[in-house]
């Protein structure tokens, strides 16, 4: 497995528990929007601990960007990343991932499962090919919505939020249901891109199949 040492250029909190990390980009290193790599920290005791994270930058950008949800209570790598500073070093590895853009449809994300869609939607905007694509984004509270303003600019009314624990006048409340999907999806014969925690993935996939969505139109990545 290839390994590349990269220096951190900036670290920013974009929600209470999500970091946006920008690093150097190794020469010749490339990926397809939606793909990921394994990252470890170049620090004693952490070099052999790696977690998968999605690229949220574009392939043509001069830097790499990662948008990472942290879990301080687990005392793992993401907890250590909360201490990350400019000029610290990370190790990035080979590129992998099964989500890639195949055509217009509905992106369905739960929490940090939105990260594979960030690069894809930014790429489509850059190429002026957003079209009728839409994003259904499930979170606990409004504060948890990653890149809310940017998604609103890119997608407008096709950025659809649902909150499971907070009730607001802006967004739907509850969990994703078949009725909610039918009301907000592009159409059942278009693509569905799904990423999130396994229970949410299982529930959404079952609902899509119940809607008679062709299994070949469901593109998924377990987060």
């Amino acid at each position: 497995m290839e390994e590349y040492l990269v220096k951190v250029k900036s670290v920013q909190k974009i929600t209470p528990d999500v970091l946006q990390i920008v690093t150097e980009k190794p020469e010749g290193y490339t990926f397809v929007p939606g793909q990921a790599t394994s990252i470890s920290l170049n620090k004693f005791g952490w070099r052999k601990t790696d977690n998968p994270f999605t690229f949220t930058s574009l392939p043509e950008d001069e830097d790499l960007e990662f948008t990472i949800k942290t879990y301080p209570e687990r005392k793992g790598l993401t907890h250590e990343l909360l201490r990350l500073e400019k000029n610290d070093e990370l190790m990035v590895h080979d590129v992998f991932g099964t989500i890639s853009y195949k055509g217009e449809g509905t992106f369905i994300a739960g929490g940090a499962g939105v990260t594979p869609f960030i690069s894809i939607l930014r790429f489509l905007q850059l190429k002026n090919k957003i079209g009728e694509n839409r994003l259904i984004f499930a979170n606990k509270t409004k504060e948890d919505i990653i890149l809310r303003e940017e998604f609103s600019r890119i997608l407008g009314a096709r950025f659809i939020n649902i909150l499971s624990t907070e009730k607001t006048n802006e967004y739907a409340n509850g969990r994703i249901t078949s009725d909610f999907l039918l009301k907000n999806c592009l159409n059942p014969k278009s693509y569905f891109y799904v990423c999130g925690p396994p229970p949410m993935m299982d529930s959404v996939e079952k609902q899509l199949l119940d809607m008679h969505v062709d299994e070949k139109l469901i593109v998924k990545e377990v987060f």
Side-chain angles (χ1 to χ4, degrees):
M1 181 172 64
E2 293 287 342
E3 186 174 270
Y4 307 88
L5 193 65
V6 295
K7 192 169 288 188
V8 173
K9 299 181 79 169
S10 67
V11 185
Q12 179 184 1
K13 264 194 176 185
I14 58 171
T15 78
D17 58 5
V18 173
L19 295 177
Q20 187 179 77
I21 299 171
V22 177
T23 76
E24 298 170 332
K25 183 178 180 180
E27 186 175 352
Y29 193 78
T30 190
F31 59 91
V32 173
Q35 288 189 308
T37 187
S38 292
I39 292 179
S40 52
L41 186 57
N42 189 27
K43 183 188 290 187
F44 180 77
W46 292 98
R47 294 184 182 91
K48 299 298 182 183
T49 301
D50 60 82
N51 286 6
F53 298 112
T54 308
F55 303 102
T56 53
S57 48
L58 296 176
E60 51 263 62
D61 290 346
E62 66 177 36
D63 300 320
L64 297 177
E65 180 192 276
F66 301 92
T67 303
I68 297 174
K69 183 176 174 66
T70 61
Y71 301 90
E73 69 281 1
R74 298 181 187 177
K75 307 300 182 185
L77 179 60
T78 65
H79 175 256
E80 198 65 22
L81 291 177
L82 287 167
R83 306 178 188 181
L84 203 63
E85 297 180 352
K86 183 178 179 180
N87 294 322
D88 284 346
E89 293 178 330
L90 301 177
M91 290 175 285
V92 298
H93 302 89
D94 295 333
V95 171
F96 61 87
T98 57
I99 282 190
S100 60
Y101 186 67
K102 299 179 182 298
E104 284 191 4
T106 304
F107 294 81
I108 306 169
V114 78
T115 54
F117 305 152
I118 295 173
S119 183
I120 292 173
L121 293 171
R122 285 175 171 174
F123 181 80
L124 292 173
Q125 182 193 37
L126 179 69
K127 301 299 182 182
N128 199 28
K129 292 184 177 180
I130 281 293
E132 294 300 311
N133 284 296
R134 58 203 56 221
L135 170 61
I136 296 174
F137 197 6
N139 285 282
K140 291 180 180 179
T141 71
K142 180 178 175 180
E143 192 177 42
D144 296 321
I145 301 173
I146 297 169
L147 300 180
R148 180 164 57 100
E149 292 182 4
E150 182 175 354
F151 284 136
S152 295
R153 286 197 304 271
I154 293 174
L155 295 166
R158 294 187 301 277
F159 178 37
I160 302 136
N161 290 276
I162 183 167
L163 307 177
S164 61
T165 61
E166 181 183 5
K167 292 186 178 181
T168 73
N169 294 325
E170 293 176 85
Y171 305 131
N173 174 256
R175 299 190 182 277
I176 294 173
T177 63
S178 298
D179 288 344
F180 188 82
L181 288 172
L182 278 169
K183 180 182 177 182
N184 293 291
C185 73
L186 177 55
N187 67 70
K189 296 189 182 299
S190 61
Y191 283 100
F192 288 85
Y193 304 88
V194 188
C195 188
M200 173 259 185
M201 295 272 295
D202 293 342
S203 174
V204 168
E205 185 173 10
K206 181 180 185 304
Q207 289 161 7
L208 292 174
L209 295 174
D210 288 345
M211 290 162 53
H212 305 292
V213 173
D214 188 332
E215 192 171 2
K216 294 177 183 175
L217 294 174
I218 303 173
V219 184
K220 57 185 179 178
E221 181 102 81
V222 176
F223 174 77

